[in-house]
Amino acid sequence: MDKLQNIFITMKSNSGTSLSPITIDNYVRKLARVYYLITGKEYDGGWKIFLEPEKVMKKLHDSGLKSLKDYISPIVRLLKHYDVDEDIIKAYNEDMKTLKGKEDHVRKENKATEKEKENAMTLDEINKKLDSYDASDNKKMLYKLITALYFQNQLIARNNYWNMKVASNNKKNKDLNANFNYLLVEGTTPKSIVLLNYKTAGTYGLQKFPITNSKLKTTIKEYLEAYNKKPGDFLITSSTGHEYKASSMADLVAKATKEVLGKPMNIDLIRKIHITTFYKEGLHSENDIEAFAKRLLHNKDKSVEYKKVDLYED
């Protein structure tokens, strides 16, 4: 896979900047998923299997996966790198254009799925579950940490914790590595979260979120002490001490919420819970809406779409 990652490292985004590590990791995971759909085998980093667009796209359309165009995009990038026949690229691009139209319509509708409605809980219910959860061992403490980070934080994160490191609160912004995100601490006391490597970083740049919730502060402090985390360490690591990949972290979020809350939740659902709660509180000022959008790493204009989320409606 290293060769494949090195190929994507040489590529540029639509804005002309280098692809971020999180984008590259996502591309590799998407290619591996498509390869498995076609062959039933683990991906070997090859590209020739993608030379039959009709076969590939049929497998994708029959798969039930969401956001299919996101699976086609890395295929197109990879095939362009190998300078394949333009008709092959054209076939993928035409399908991707059609999918984009359909998926954009779904996103604008921003409706919750039946499964999301089934697994949804109110923030009040979630906080009660967090309060009563007995984190009696290190594994349970990890599950509580992840759930608390997603529900008691100023930041309403996407998949932003897999590449998060612990750093001293005295560390200057210019000394932070843009490939990572950071939890800034004084000893074992958490102070803030700094995001540098995230989906919309090219638009919004460095973002800093103070940790103000006292219960979240306590949970993080207890976790740091239990796991003996020091500046320079990854915040969350596997049982063997290795950092998580983005895909593995997404699975861990579902495991953690299932353990702590009794229902598995993905990141989309978590964000919809926050959005629904905010808009059901009543009317908000423009400043409130802008501040809320920042928590989601969006701008105020994007917030118009949030109002359509119908998570708790019949």
Side-chain angles (χ1 to χ4, degrees):
M1 292 299 184
D2 288 345
K3 181 181 177 182
L4 192 59
Q5 289 181 325
N6 289 335
I7 288 171
F8 286 125
I9 286 171
T10 66
M11 298 181 184
K12 300 292 184 183
S13 67
N14 292 335
S15 61
T17 59
S18 298
L19 297 178
S20 69
I22 196 168
T23 297
I24 292 170
D25 182 74
N26 187 47
Y27 279 172
V28 173
R29 287 189 295 109
K30 291 287 195 287
L31 290 170
R33 187 67 180 273
V34 178
Y35 186 87
Y36 184 81
L37 283 174
I38 297 168
T39 67
K41 298 178 182 177
E42 186 175 339
Y43 187 38
D44 59 5
W47 57 278
K48 291 185 178 178
I49 196 165
F50 302 122
L51 292 174
E52 300 178 69
E54 287 187 9
K55 178 181 178 181
V56 173
M57 290 185 296
K58 184 177 188 311
K59 287 288 186 181
L60 276 172
H61 284 281
D62 291 345
S63 69
L65 292 170
K66 296 171 67 176
S67 301
L68 295 185
K69 70 177 180 61
D70 294 339
Y71 290 83
I72 298 174
S73 181
I75 294 174
V76 170
R77 280 185 172 272
L78 186 63
L79 293 181
K80 281 183 176 180
H81 173 80
Y82 286 104
D83 198 25
V84 305
D85 190 293
E86 273 299 317
D87 285 342
I88 294 174
I89 301 294
K90 184 179 178 181
Y92 279 117
N93 279 336
E94 286 178 352
D95 198 57
M96 192 156 53
K97 184 178 179 181
T98 301
L99 287 167
K100 185 178 186 303
K102 291 178 180 177
E103 290 170 12
D104 284 352
H105 176 74
V106 170
R107 283 196 180 100
K108 285 177 181 176
E109 286 297 310
N110 219 354
K111 299 294 186 182
T113 66
E114 290 306 313
K115 189 66 176 177
E116 285 175 331
K117 291 180 180 181
E118 181 183 325
N119 284 342
M121 303 170 70
T122 66
L123 279 182
D124 284 344
E125 291 172 324
I126 288 164
N127 281 313
K128 286 176 183 176
K129 292 274 189 181
L130 273 165
D131 287 345
S132 64
Y133 183 71
D134 180 18
S136 54
D137 58 45
N138 281 8
K139 190 170 187 179
K140 289 183 176 181
M141 194 170 290
L142 171 63
Y143 289 155
K144 184 173 182 178
L145 171 79
I146 291 168
T147 306
L149 282 170
Y150 274 100
F151 286 108
Q152 295 180 331
N153 209 348
Q154 280 294 307
L155 167 66
I156 303 172
R158 290 191 180 94
N159 196 357
N160 303 123
Y161 295 115
W162 66 277
N163 61 345
M164 182 166 285
K165 287 190 167 186
V166 180
S168 168
N169 194 46
N170 296 324
K171 202 172 183 75
K172 297 184 185 306
N173 290 344
K174 66 182 180 65
D175 296 327
L176 298 174
N177 187 326
N179 290 326
F180 303 104
N181 299 313
Y182 291 90
L183 171 70
L184 301 187
V185 299
E186 286 182 0
T188 55
T189 301
K191 306 304 278 185
S192 61
I193 284 173
V194 174
L195 291 190
L196 291 163
N197 183 4
Y198 61 99
K199 184 177 179 181
T200 48
T203 303
Y204 303 117
L206 182 149
Q207 294 290 312
K208 192 171 187 176
F209 298 86
I211 297 171
T212 57
N213 184 294
S214 60
K215 292 178 180 179
L216 176 60
K217 279 187 175 183
T218 299
T219 298
I220 296 174
K221 182 177 174 64
E222 290 175 350
Y223 171 85
L224 293 174
E225 291 171 351
Y227 280 81
N228 195 30
K229 294 291 182 180
K230 307 293 183 187
D233 292 346
F234 278 96
L235 176 62
I236 297 170
T237 50
S238 69
S239 57
T240 57
H242 292 92
E243 66 269 25
Y244 276 89
K245 293 292 185 183
S247 56
S248 303
M249 188 65 202
D251 292 338
L252 187 59
V253 171
K255 276 185 186 176
T257 51
K258 176 72 167 67
E259 166 68 20
V260 177
L261 305 178
K263 294 181 178 181
M265 296 187 188
N266 62 27
I267 292 165
D268 281 346
L269 174 55
I270 290 169
R271 285 164 69 85
K272 284 177 180 175
I273 288 171
H274 283 287
I275 290 164
T276 301
T277 302
F278 178 77
Y279 280 105
K280 283 191 175 294
E281 288 172 350
L283 294 175
H284 295 281
S285 69
E286 289 293 302
N287 287 340
D288 288 341
I289 293 170
E290 189 165 2
F292 179 69
K294 182 181 177 182
R295 293 179 63 200
L296 289 150
L297 301 168
H298 280 310
N299 59 37
K300 181 165 64 70
D301 294 337
K302 183 76 175 173
S303 67
V304 175
E305 296 179 18
Y306 302 158
K307 295 180 182 179
K308 299 176 185 176
V309 174
D310 58 343
L311 201 53
Y312 304 133
E313 292 179 3
D314 295 330

